[in-house]
């Protein structure tokens, strides 16, 4: 990965971590002191390398963060992030520490919640992934 893409990726993750949202292309360009065209090219390289997922002119995923509202809500203290799936939600909790993950059963709509306290997850449960990990990137938006 080249230095420009590395710096742009850092801005993306820093914005997600600090502000619970994806940065705009203009914000990335300004933060790295490059043109928006150069930032867009860096986004393209990052997307090709599966570092981020783009939806038009926006970052929709930078695992474990979702750049849009999802049913996978992670809360640590007063902070909130959206995750792409259960796996990513636990990844956010791994990054930021004790907190809660809430979602809804996709069949019944009933809320499902897990808490992480001192690194322990409760209640115990099972998460089912419909797509084998080897095929996640075949259609990452569906996965």
């Amino acid at each position: 990965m080249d230095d420009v893409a590395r710096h742009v990726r850092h801005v993306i993750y820093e914005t997600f971590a600090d502000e619970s949202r994806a940065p705009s292309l203009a914000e990335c360009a300004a933060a790295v002191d490059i043109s928006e065209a150069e930032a867009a090219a860096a986004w393209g390289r990052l997307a090709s390398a599966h570092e981020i997922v783009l939806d038009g002119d926006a970052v929709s995923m930078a695992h474990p963060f979702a750049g849009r509202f999802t049913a996978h809500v992670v809360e640590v203290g007063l902070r909130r992030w959206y995750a792409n799936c259960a796996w990513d939600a636990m990844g956010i909790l791994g990054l930021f520490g004790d907190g809660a993950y809430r979602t809804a059963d996709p069949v019944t709509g009933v809320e499902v919640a897990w808490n992480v306290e001192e690194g322990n997850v409760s209640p115990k449960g099972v998460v089912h992934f419909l797509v084998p990990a080897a095929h996640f990137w075949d259609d990452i938006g569906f996965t």
Side-chain angles (χ1 to χ4, degrees):
M1 176 184 314
D2 62 89
D3 285 344
V4 171
R6 184 175 290 107
H7 286 121
V8 168
R9 183 181 68 171
H10 177 80
V11 170
I12 293 168
Y13 277 95
E14 184 175 55
T15 304
F16 269 117
D18 294 346
E19 300 180 30
S20 303
R21 65 174 183 86
S24 68
L25 184 63
E27 289 174 307
C28 282
V32 181
D33 195 26
I34 57 177
S35 71
E36 286 189 32
E38 291 170 304
W43 278 18
R45 293 191 301 278
L46 290 168
S48 292
H50 296 167
E51 297 282 341
I52 63 174
V53 177
L54 299 174
D55 183 11
D57 62 353
V59 175
S60 65
M61 295 180 196
H63 294 100
F65 303 106
R68 59 191 168 14
F69 170 81
T70 71
H72 304 278
V73 181
V74 177
E75 295 174 336
V76 175
L78 298 175
R79 304 202 48 212
R80 174 183 287 182
W81 296 268
Y82 293 103
N84 302 293
C85 64
W87 188 328
D88 286 346
M90 290 300 173
I92 292 172
L93 288 166
L95 288 169
F96 295 105
D98 293 352
Y101 163 44
R102 292 176 193 22
T103 191
D105 181 294
V107 175
T108 66
V110 172
E111 182 180 268
V112 181
W114 288 271
N115 294 302
V116 175
E117 190 172 319
E118 296 182 12
N120 296 305
V121 179
S122 65
K124 300 295 181 200
V126 175
V127 176
H128 175 73
F129 295 93
L130 295 173
V131 178
H135 295 284
F136 282 2
W137 282 96
D138 293 352
D139 183 353
I140 195 66
F142 171 77
T143 300

